[in-house]
Amino acid sequence: DQQVKQNSPSLSVQEGRISILNCDYTNSMFDYFLWYKKYPAEGPTFLISISSIKDKNEDGRFTVFLNKSAKHLSLHIVPSQPGDSAVYFCAATPRASGTYKYIFGTGTRLKVLA
Amino acid sequence: DGGITQSPKYLFRKEGQNVTLSCEQNLNHDAMYWYRQDPGQGLRLIYYSQIVNDFQKGDIAEGYSVSREKKESFPLTVTSAQKNPTAFYLCAAKSRDSEQFFGPGTRLTVL
């Protein structure tokens, strides 16, 4: 039973346009959500996070939106750059429970075309 | 310069042999994790440890073992009981107030 789902395995976007990556979750106990970026043969790097008390968090070109009623979050990258080409993982955790455990989605491979 | 070291970067093993993957951190983080990445499968949790001398099974612990004798070290042993060990293995660490921080990974290939 996959608690965190990324239903689009891949996405291609033109340079300069917006990239929108989506993530759905099923566990109502999740209260903290993260996005990681991963290049081949490297470890993931943290990108941006959002707490369930917010519906938006912005950091430069990256914005994460959270819709709790729909159990859905999305990552917007504007404008997209070729260096953004990577696999993006969303993750969720029930932080209020005291656990340090994350549940990761299966990832979306973003390709930004020059 | 704080971080996580995983060694070796590439590891080859003959079928039936046990092999230990190293993970060391100098971040002073309490929690450490081992994940496995396979194509199209995302990151699957093998084991995690929130404090020294304690660890918990993740979703795919069968065929693996760990120890946490020191805060900075969390080695993973892939045993011969693991039916499909060829994968990319990632170690991570986390403190109470940080996100999980990942090491560079070890690619294990069983010949």
Side-chain angles (χ1 to χ4, degrees):
Chain A
D1 177 30
Q2 223 171 338
Q3 299 183 68
V4 178
K5 299 178 186 178
Q6 293 177 257
N7 292 318
S8 298
S10 64
L11 174 68
S12 290
V13 170
Q14 284 295 132
E15 182 179 6
R17 307 293 291 268
I18 184 171
S19 295
I20 301 177
L21 293 86
N22 294 303
C23 180
D24 297 294
Y25 62 96
T26 58
N27 190 336
S28 300
M29 300 300 292
F30 290 152
D31 58 2
Y32 193 70
F33 305 88
L34 310 95
W35 285 94
Y36 280 81
K37 174 180 178 179
K38 185 183 181 301
Y39 293 117
E42 294 183 10
T45 54
F46 169 70
L47 202 54
I48 192 169
S49 63
I50 188 167
S51 165
S52 60
I53 62 173
K54 295 184 176 181
D55 54 18
K56 176 182 173 181
N57 188 26
E58 194 171 350
D59 183 1
R61 296 186 298 114
F62 302 93
T63 303
V64 57
F65 295 92
L66 175 63
N67 182 333
K68 282 190 301 183
S69 60
K71 293 191 175 67
H72 177 84
L73 62 154
S74 60
L75 174 69
H76 293 212
I77 307 174
V78 185
S80 301
Q81 299 173 353
D84 296 330
S85 297
V87 177
Y88 290 79
F89 291 99
C90 95
T93 183
R95 194 164 63 168
S97 71
T99 183
Y100 287 9
K101 188 177 168 185
Y102 291 0
I103 307 300
F104 282 87
T106 52
T108 296
R109 182 178 301 278
L110 173 65
K111 188 170 184 180
V112 180
L113 306 170
Chain B
D1 188 21
I4 298 178
T5 303
Q6 289 189 245
S7 60
K9 179 75 173 172
Y10 299 94
L11 190 56
F12 297 88
R13 173 195 113 177
K14 290 183 180 178
E15 201 167 340
Q17 288 180 335
N18 292 358
V19 63
T20 297
L21 282 61
S22 167
C23 178
E24 303 280 331
Q25 55 113 350
N26 60 6
L27 302 166
N28 201 33
H29 286 351
D30 290 315
M32 295 187 74
Y33 309 78
W34 274 105
Y35 293 90
R36 169 180 172 143
Q37 186 192 11
D38 297 282
Q41 298 251 26
L43 303 176
R44 294 187 291 167
L45 183 64
I46 303 172
Y47 269 97
Y48 66 105
S49 166
Q50 297 200 179
I51 55 172
V52 174
N53 292 323
D54 187 49
F55 48 83
Q56 311 294 330
K57 290 183 179 180
D59 301 318
I60 54 166
E62 186 175 348
Y64 299 97
S65 65
V66 293
S67 63
R68 186 85 188 280
E69 296 175 3
K70 298 186 294 182
K71 188 175 186 178
E72 56 270 24
S73 178
F74 192 41
L76 174 75
T77 297
V78 185
T79 75
S80 55
Q82 168 50 232
K83 294 188 182 354
N84 187 18
T86 294
F88 189 56
Y89 290 87
L90 288 157
C91 178
K94 183 187 183 314
S95 71
R96 179 190 171 97
D97 300 317
S98 77
E99 290 71 34
Q100 286 188 20
F101 181 82
F102 283 84
T106 292
R107 179 161 299 281
L108 172 65
T109 303
V110 174
L111 303 172

